[in-house]
């Protein structure tokens, strides 16, 4: 089973789109986008994604992707 990464559509519009596009190219993970994930406070402050239910943030799309991969490796999900 591949790890699941979820994005909020508003956060994508705020800059996380590049992270989503990069992660979608990885065949070892599943990426989904939703209208809202219910993390409006986080969404307004930084780029974020839910990785297996855990909030992962980044100041830039590149940092977000890096932090997601760090989380996945530390938790042996990939």
């Amino acid at each position: 089973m591949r790890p699941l990464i979820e994005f909020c559509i508003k956060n994508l519009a705020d800059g996380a789109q590049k992270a989503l596009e990069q992660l979608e190219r990885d065949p070892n993970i599943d990426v989904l986008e939703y209208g809202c994930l219910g993390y409006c406070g986080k969404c307004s402050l930084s780029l974020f994604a839910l990785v297996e239910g855990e909030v992962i943030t980044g100041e830039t799309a590149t940092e977000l992707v890096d932090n997601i991969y760090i989380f996945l490796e530390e938790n042996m999900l990939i």
Side-chain angles (χ1 to χ4, degrees):
M1 187 171 189
R2 298 182 293 202
L4 177 62
I5 301 172
E6 302 165 278
F7 285 91
C8 169
I9 197 161
K10 182 190 178 312
N11 206 250
L12 292 174
D14 289 345
Q17 181 68 34
K18 290 179 183 179
L20 176 135
E21 291 169 359
Q22 183 177 348
L23 293 166
E24 282 183 324
R25 292 191 288 269
D26 187 331
N28 297 312
I29 57 176
D30 289 324
V31 180
L32 296 174
E33 59 184 82
Y34 294 96
C36 180
L37 292 172
Y39 290 87
C40 300
K42 295 247 185 252
C43 191
S44 66
L45 295 176
S46 65
L47 303 182
F48 86 99
L50 288 182
V51 181
E52 290 296 314
E54 295 290 327
V55 175
I56 306 299
T57 62
E59 292 299 314
T60 66
T62 300
E63 183 179 303
L64 177 58
V65 170
D66 291 345
N67 290 343
I68 288 170
Y69 279 115
I70 288 168
F71 176 84
L72 293 171
E73 288 173 10
E74 286 177 351
N75 292 281
M76 297 190 299
L77 296 172
I78 58 171

